[in-house]
Amino acid sequence: AQGNKILVATLGSPLGKVIEDKQLKATWNEKEEITGADGRGIGALQLHYYSNHYPLDPASILPLLPPSCPENIRKLFQEIKQRDTLIGEENELGRLARREQSYEAKKALDGWMRSDGAIKEMQSHLDKFNADDKKVAELVAQQAYRLAYWKIASDELNYRRFFDVNELLAIKSENKGVFEESVQLIKEWIQTGKVQALRLDHPDGLYNPAKFFKDLQEIMAPVMPKELVVLDDSRPLFVLVEKILEPGESLRTSWPVSGTVGYEYMNVLNDVFVDTVKENEMRRIYAKYVSEDYNASTSAKDFAKLLYTSKRNLLFTSFQTELDAVSLLFQEILSTSSIGRDFSLKQIKKAIVETVANCPVYRTYITQECDGPTSEDNHVIDTTFKQLREKNEVDSLLADLIENVYRCKGEDKSQDYKKKARHAVMKLQQLTGPVMAKGLEDTSFYRFFLLTSLNEVGGDPDKFGLTKEEFHKYNQTRVKDWPHTMSNSSTHDTKRSEDVRARINTLSEIPDAWEHIVYKWREMNAKFKTNVAGLGPVPGPNEEYMIYQTLVGAWPMGAKEASEEFIDRMRNYLNKCVKEAKQYTTWVKQNEPYEKAVIHFMETIVKDHNWLASFLPFIHPLVRAAKLNSVSLVSLKLTCPGIPDIYQGQEVWDFSLVDPDNRRPVDYVVRHRLLSSVKSSVSSSSDFSSFASKALEDSDDSGTIKLMVTERLLDLRNRNQALFLAGDYQPITAPGSVVAFRRSLNNKNIVVASRRFFVDKNNEEKDKQGTIELTGSYRDVLTGKTHSFSGSASLSTLFSVLPFVVLESN
């Protein structure tokens, strides 16, 4: 439908209507950021539509030049129009020559526009031009793109994009020339020492991620400064990838990268503070609470079905054009067999939908060059087609054919067949990733609320916590395969900050109390719900359950009432939640009565004195327990295998929710002042004990204890870099909730022991009654005290100041 033009579907109405309403105009933009070889920026004629600026083909510019424009400039643009090299022609030299000629013409026009009176004459001429709808339409038609109504994008888009964002076009980095040009600036930064490491976001969108990483290392290695530290000779440049690993999935060890940005480990750190013993009770409470809501009740019992349905719906809405493109590729492949050619495009499209919707991870990594699927790929394909066949939505013969193509079978027909079949699979792989991201993180996470602290990127909301045995096993694998990968606990992408999650996690320890209070609140607040046509009382039980968990987690420390700032943040949060859920309202089709009812409910209850009189006493013991959760998590994050990353502002208590809430400006001056104050007042072990005791009191909301622990453990890492980069990880048997391990290299040892589950103070007594095996002389990194152990260490001694201890061997 677009010919050789790119569809730019960004208009708020059909093109004819936009032109008729004079919303699209040719203008002179003197601030256009086009820079030539001389380093000078030049202006340009463009099409403007509100804040959007669209470039104009120099060959179409002649009618826009006023009569007073010098003839030599007109001639330059005339010559461009007369060139034989057309847009899209596969003539590299011709295109390069045209580009240089275009720049010279624009530069000349910019020079004239700087002369006296030129801008006034240009504006007068453009005003007359823009008044003629026919001329504007003709100008638009001459461009290399087709401007169109945004609503047709899902049906007619003809380029790859970032997820479903039409304005963010993907480039073909698999093309050598495109790749080299796209990394040229980064190469200069590396060469000049401005950048020492790279973070690559969304690598699953690449056609061939492994090749991209390999090419990146090869192009950067020769220009890396000699003084740049190399941790691994096989991966000279330190590169971390934002690869989302589903639970049980591992990063491909063949990739020449240093690890991930740590989303999967963020969930490991969080989930070990969830009480797995209480899982059945928490599931029962959630299922019972939402039982009157059919959709939520079904999801509560079967998260896998919710995810499958979410992905399926997205394929028919947000990813329709991508689905069509992949389906056509598979139709071409299947048409080469006598069985395959009897299946219609509609049937093949349905089979691709089921393949994508049943894929358990973001993607597989089959390439043109590989021998076929790896064992990891085959495991994914096994699971995909097992689930696909169980649902019985696809003809069994067609399922076999699609699976055979996916497994690279039957490629001995011809080299041409193999190349096309692999290409079809590789395009399929580029589709499964964004559909998983949008279906899981941006849909299912906003519909399933068993325990909202589990709803994080790289996590599984349906897996209720992590045992300490699982925690140790994960770290042992990590230190062996990816010792330099990143350890995160909060990022710009997290749905809730680490401190919000730490407080919500405490609910897993008290299911009985939670059940009692949440039903009490339901009864108290029923009068604040609004009847919405077709939906009944709003919010429904599922949204209400989520709101209560959010208030428990995000309530400002020490607050006796909700400030207007907090209420405004909650408004924005809930507005995003209900739209991302895509059940009763969406970003595209908004249901204002429903949205207003949800927000009104929150605004009303947080101002209701009766509800606050119940809410505040309930969260009081959780606030202290969550403080201990948070600092204990810091002790693990900064000592376990991996390189820790501290997201902006998380050095102290931070109760941010999903973006844009977690991207607010951070007051580093205050944090610097806090750290200086604490360091100057805490110089001895007795000082630290007194400081820690006060910092964990209910009245202290500064977060200085978290800041101080972070500072001292980072100092420990700095003094023991080799140990933390290359040291091993050995679990230590510990009683109760205690997680203990040893990091060691040569004769140096770091021993860590950390408690969990702090709401019930009886747990503290049980944990402190035990011992761990330990021999030798150690210094407590936080208090500065020295200890000598002969075979065992009493936990009551180790936990005398804080609920965790970090010991450094003398």
Side-chain angles (χ1 to χ4, degrees), residues 35-74:
T35 304
D38 58 2
R40 183 169 68 85
I42 63 173
L45 284 162
Q46 298 176 328
L47 280 170
H48 279 205
Y49 174 69
Y50 293 104
S51 61
N52 293 331
H53 303 172
Y54 307 101
L56 289 172
D57 182 355
S60 69
I61 279 176
L62 277 172
L64 302 180
L65 301 179
S68 57
C69 181
E71 187 60 33
N72 66 310
I73 295 177
R74 290 177 170 280

Side-chain angles (χ1 to χ4, degrees), residues 509-537:
E509 303 175 47
I510 52 168
D512 291 343
W514 172 240
E515 181 176 23
H516 171 76
I517 201 71
V518 82
Y519 274 98
K520 180 180 178 180
W521 294 344
R522 183 182 201 170
E523 184 178 345
M524 291 175 67
N525 298 328
K527 60 182 177 290
F528 300 131
K529 295 189 176 187
T530 305
N531 278 305
V532 176
L535 295 175

Side-chain angles (χ1 to χ4, degrees), residues 340-597:
R341 68 173 61 103
D342 277 347
F343 289 104
S344 68
L345 178 60
K346 183 178 179 181
Q347 289 173 299
I348 293 169
K349 184 175 178 179
K350 184 177 181 181
I352 296 299
V353 166
E354 293 300 314
T355 302
V356 175
N358 283 290
C359 184
V361 297
Y362 277 65
R363 62 169 286 175
T364 50
Y365 298 94
I366 295 162
T367 67
Q368 291 282 0
E369 300 80 20
C370 72
D371 294 331
T374 63
S375 58
E376 298 101 320
D377 292 331
N378 274 320
H379 176 69
V380 172
I381 298 171
D382 288 344
T383 304
T384 299
F385 283 91
K386 179 177 181 292
Q387 293 177 167
L388 181 151
R389 291 186 173 92
E390 286 173 351
K391 292 181 177 68
N392 201 28
E393 295 285 337
V394 178
D395 183 279
S396 59
L397 283 174
L398 179 55
D400 291 343
L401 291 172
I402 298 284
E403 183 178 3
N404 285 340
V405 175
Y406 206 162
R407 292 191 189 274
C408 306
K409 292 183 177 180
E411 293 183 342
D412 53 352
K413 294 179 182 179
S414 69
Q415 277 300 114
D416 182 61
Y417 173 87
K418 177 181 177 180
K419 183 177 180 180
K420 288 181 178 179
R422 293 286 180 99
H423 176 66
V425 170
M426 291 172 78
K427 298 307 288 184
L428 171 66
Q429 292 173 151
Q430 284 185 294
L431 176 59
T432 57
V435 173
M436 173 64 99
K438 300 299 288 185
L440 179 63
E441 301 163 26
D442 292 343
T443 306
S444 301
F445 278 6
Y446 292 96
R447 293 191 193 180
F448 183 82
F449 307 122
L450 171 62
L451 189 69
T452 56
S453 54
L454 301 173
N455 295 23
E456 277 302 344
V457 181
D460 180 358
D462 203 29
K463 186 181 187 314
F464 199 82
L466 198 74
T467 66
K468 60 182 177 182
E469 290 76 20
E470 291 174 310
F471 180 77
H472 288 315
K473 184 178 180 181
Y474 193 94
N475 281 314
Q476 287 174 305
T477 300
R478 205 168 201 242
V479 79
K480 177 173 67 74
D481 294 337
W482 299 103
H484 307 140
T485 191
M486 188 174 279
S487 302
N488 256 318
S489 48
S490 292
T491 76
H492 66 291
D493 274 338
T494 42
K495 309 299 183 188
R496 297 156 190 85
S497 72
E498 60 202 61
D499 293 325
V500 172
R501 278 181 270 123
R503 203 184 291 169
I504 294 173
N505 283 343
T506 63
L507 297 177
S508 72
E509 303 175 47
I510 52 168
D512 291 343
W514 172 240
E515 181 176 23
H516 171 76
I517 201 71
V518 82
Y519 274 98
K520 180 180 178 180
W521 294 344
R522 183 182 201 170
E523 184 178 345
M524 291 175 67
N525 298 328
K527 60 182 177 290
F528 300 131
K529 295 189 176 187
T530 305
N531 278 305
V532 176
L535 295 175
V538 173
N542 201 39
E543 298 97 315
E544 186 177 5
Y545 200 73
M546 175 269 291
I547 289 171
Y548 292 145
Q549 288 191 56
T550 304
L551 291 172
V552 167
W555 190 263
M557 200 172 287
K560 300 301 181 186
E561 59 184 26
S563 67
E564 282 304 315
E565 181 201 15
F566 177 72
I567 293 173
D568 190 52
R569 289 173 53 215
M570 283 293 297
R571 281 191 201 105
N572 294 332
Y573 174 72
L574 292 177
N575 179 58
K576 180 166 185 171
C577 282
V578 296
K579 285 186 170 75
E580 293 286 14
K582 306 174 188 67
Q583 279 187 295
Y584 310 116
T585 186
T586 68
W587 294 105
V588 177
K589 296 180 180 179
Q590 298 179 20
N591 181 344
E592 286 192 15
Y594 166 75
E595 294 174 15
K596 287 180 178 178

Side-chain angles (χ1 to χ4, degrees), residues 63-67 120-129:
L64 302 180
L65 301 179
K120 185 177 180 180
E121 291 182 36
M122 174 67 82
Q123 189 58 56
S124 175
H125 181 73
L126 290 178
D127 286 344
K128 294 176 184 177
F129 181 90

